[in-house]
Amino acid sequence: RYISTFRPSVKREAVENKAQWKTMGPAKVAVPSPKNFLQKHSKEPKLPERKKEQDNKKLPELSVPRRTDRPVMGIQSNKNFINLNAVAAITGLPKKPQPVCVDRRQGDKYLLETSGLVPKYIKKKDYGVTPKYVTQRNEEMKRAQEEYKARVLEQLKKRAMKQLSDEERTSLLQGLKKNWEKAYREFQCLSVQIDTIPKKLYKERLESEMKQLEHDIELLEKHKVIYIANE
C-alpha cells in the first residue's frame, strides 16, 4: 500500500494548529446588565418639555362680547325679502352646469377646467406673438452676419480677390465632372490582375486623381459663392 511521506508532518500540524480556528472573534464578550432591559414605550419619540408661560405676558383680546354688553334693540327693516328673492329668481340668468370629465365609465367626475385638457393658452393676449427674446436674438444674428460680410469684403478687397460668376462656376463644375468621368473610364479599363509596379503606380495615380476631383466637385456644389485670387 502507498503511504505518503508527508503524513507525519500533516498530523503534527493538525494537532498543533487545532485551537487557532476554534472560536470566531473574542472568546469573552461583555454580557449586558439585567437592569438595562427593554421598557415599554422606551423607543417612542419624546416631545420636548413644555415651557411655562410668563405670568406678565398679556393674553390676546378676544372678539367674544362681554357679559355686560347688551344687544341693540328696536331695529326694524322695511324690505320685503320674499318679493326681492322672487324678482331675483325671475330676472336672474340660469346657472350653467360646470363641464366635467370622467376617467372611465363608472369613475369619478373631475372639473374639466382644472384637469389640464382645456387649451387655455390660446386665450392669452400674447398667444401667437413672437417673444421679445426671439426677435432680439434674430436681430443680433442679422447684425453679426452683416458685420461678418463687411469684414470678409474688406479682406477680399485687401487681398484683391475676385468672385466667380454663376456661369463660370457652372462651367468649372462641368469641366471637373468631365475629368472625373474620363479618369473613371480609364480606371475601369485597368486589367483585373495588377502584378507589375507600373500598373500599381498607374492605379494609385488614378485613385488619387478621382478623389481630388470628387473633393473639388463637392466643394463647388456646397458653396455657391467662391472667391479666387487675381493673378
Side-chain angles (χ1 to χ4, degrees), residues 90-152:
I90 293 168
T91 57
L93 296 174
K95 190 176 181 181
K96 294 182 179 180
Q98 290 184 344
V100 295
C101 64
V102 184
D103 51 1
R104 57 181 184 274
R105 188 174 180 183
Q106 296 178 350
D108 299 329
K109 292 182 179 180
Y110 302 97
L111 291 176
L112 187 62
E113 188 176 359
T114 57
S115 64
L117 300 174
V118 181
K120 288 187 175 181
Y121 58 91
I122 62 174
K123 299 180 181 178
K124 292 183 178 180
K125 293 181 180 179
D126 56 349
Y127 175 73
V129 181
T130 308
K132 292 182 180 179
Y133 72 92
V134 176
T135 55
Q136 186 177 0
R137 187 188 304 167
N138 293 336
E139 291 177 358
E140 290 177 358
M141 289 175 62
K142 288 181 181 178
R143 195 182 307 112
Q145 288 178 358
E146 291 176 357
E147 291 177 358
Y148 175 73
K149 287 181 180 179
R151 199 181 305 114
V152 169

Side-chain angles (χ1 to χ4, degrees), residues 22 24 31 57 61 117 144 162 180 221-222 224:
K22 204 168 186 179
M24 295 292 291
V31 181
K57 192 175 181 180
E61 296 182 358
L117 300 174
K162 185 181 75 172
W180 183 87
E221 288 179 345
K222 187 176 180 181
K224 295 183 178 180

Side-chain angles (χ1 to χ4, degrees), residues 178-212:
K178 287 180 181 179
N179 293 337
W180 183 87
E181 289 176 358
K182 182 180 178 182
Y184 183 67
R185 198 178 301 110
E186 292 178 0
F187 184 80
Q188 284 182 333
C189 294
L190 290 173
S191 60
V192 178
Q193 187 176 4
I194 300 174
D195 50 355
T196 60
I197 294 175
K199 288 182 180 181
K200 290 181 181 179
L201 294 175
Y202 184 59
K203 181 184 176 183
E204 290 177 358
R205 185 177 65 80
L206 287 176
E207 288 177 349
S208 62
E209 186 179 352
M210 289 170 61
K211 191 177 291 184
Q212 183 64 34

